């Protein structure tokens, strides 16, 4: 079931002991570092986490993070949607030393004062999943933008800028 009541912080030890499931969404606009790498911060990250304690008493969460993000297409420089899907198998640890002692198939997340900021954890996972370069599908590029993006010297600036007189006319129309 999807809801919007994801906690800001959580205690992985309590959640693991009670085998809690966290499910919900976080707006991409909550992730400043990720947003800086995107063409737009519109959309949501959908989070599903199942907590448990493993046979060695470790605090574990498995699940997924899914988001459709808008990345600048390197061919036409317009926003192109990219679907990110991260499968998670997280082990919550106390510090870096503790992180070195967990099996390699677990992804360590360090707790601060026994807690984890959910948005920070989700943001870091999404940043790691971002493609280095992105393109629209072969036919998905904006043909007009493509023309300007590919021609560096034969697209004079004033061709792209809106006519200043039409802007004045719009302003006047709004006033009246
Ligand atoms: Zn494109």
């Amino acid at each position: 079931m999807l809801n919007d009541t994801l906690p800001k912080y959580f205690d992985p030890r309590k959640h693991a002991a009670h085998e809690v499931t966290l499910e919900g969404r976080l707006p991409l606009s909550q992730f400043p570092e990720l947003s800086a790498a995107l063409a737009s911060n519109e959309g949501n990250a959908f989070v599903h986490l199942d907590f448990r304690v493993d046979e060695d008493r470790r605090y574990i969460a498995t699940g997924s993070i899914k988001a459709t993000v808008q990345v600048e297409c390197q061919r036409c420089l317009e926003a192109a949607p990219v679907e990110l899907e991260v499968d998670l198998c997280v082990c919550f640890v106390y510090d870096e030393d503790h992180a070195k002692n967990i099996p390699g198939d677990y992804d360590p997340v360090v707790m601060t004062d026994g807690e984890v900021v959910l948005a920070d954890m989700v943001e870091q996972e999404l940043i790691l999943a971002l493609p280095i370069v992105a393109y629209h599908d072969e036919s998905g590029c904006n043909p007009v933008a493509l023309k300007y993006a590919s021609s560096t010297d034969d697209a004079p600036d004033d061709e792209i800028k809106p006519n200043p007189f039409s802007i004045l006319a719009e302003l006047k129309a709004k006033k009246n």
Side-chain angles (χ1 to χ4, degrees):
M1 227 180 77
L2 203 65
N3 61 60
D4 293 316
T5 56
L6 282 174
K8 192 163 169 23
Y9 305 90
F10 63 89
D11 181 340
R13 295 165 299 179
K14 270 188 202 161
H15 278 9
H18 294 109
E19 302 198 337
V20 165
T21 293
L22 281 186
E23 193 167 35
R25 64 183 163 191
L26 292 169
L28 297 181
S29 56
Q30 278 190 11
F31 308 135
E33 205 183 321
L34 175 70
S35 296
L38 301 179
S40 153
N41 65 4
E42 278 171 40
N44 293 289
F46 296 91
V47 180
H48 182 120
L49 289 173
D50 292 311
F51 290 83
R52 66 186 166 83
V53 180
D54 80 358
E55 58 281 1
D56 293 310
R57 306 288 309 153
R58 297 186 189 95
Y59 310 111
I60 305 299
T62 53
S64 64
I65 304 170
K66 293 175 196 169
T68 301
V69 299
Q70 304 291 327
V71 180
E72 191 178 80
C73 167
Q74 294 306 299
R75 204 158 31 219
C76 72
L77 306 181
E78 298 270 298
V82 172
E83 284 186 27
L84 302 179
E85 183 164 352
V86 185
D87 285 321
L88 291 176
C89 187
V90 169
C91 180
F92 298 96
V93 296
Y94 292 100
D95 51 38
E96 301 288 334
D97 280 344
H98 186 186
K100 288 176 195 148
N101 295 316
I102 61 167
D105 43 352
Y106 288 136
D107 187 13
V109 168
V110 179
M111 297 181 274
T112 307
D113 298 329
E115 288 189 318
V116 172
V117 178
L118 181 64
D120 286 354
M121 176 179 138
V122 171
E123 181 175 29
Q124 289 311 313
E125 294 290 347
L126 287 175
I127 288 171
L128 290 175
L130 272 183
I132 294 165
V133 288
Y135 298 100
H136 285 108
D137 294 338
E138 206 50 55
S139 56
C141 284
N142 178 335
V144 179
L146 193 59
K147 185 172 161 250
Y148 287 118
S150 61
S151 58
T152 45
D153 46 19
D154 59 12
D157 275 0
D158 51 41
E159 251 181 55
I160 318 171
K161 280 181 191 159
N163 180 335
F165 296 108
S166 65
I167 293 175
L168 273 179
E170 264 177 47
L171 286 173
K172 268 190 177 172
K174 270 182 197 162
K175 269 189 184 170
N176 294 335

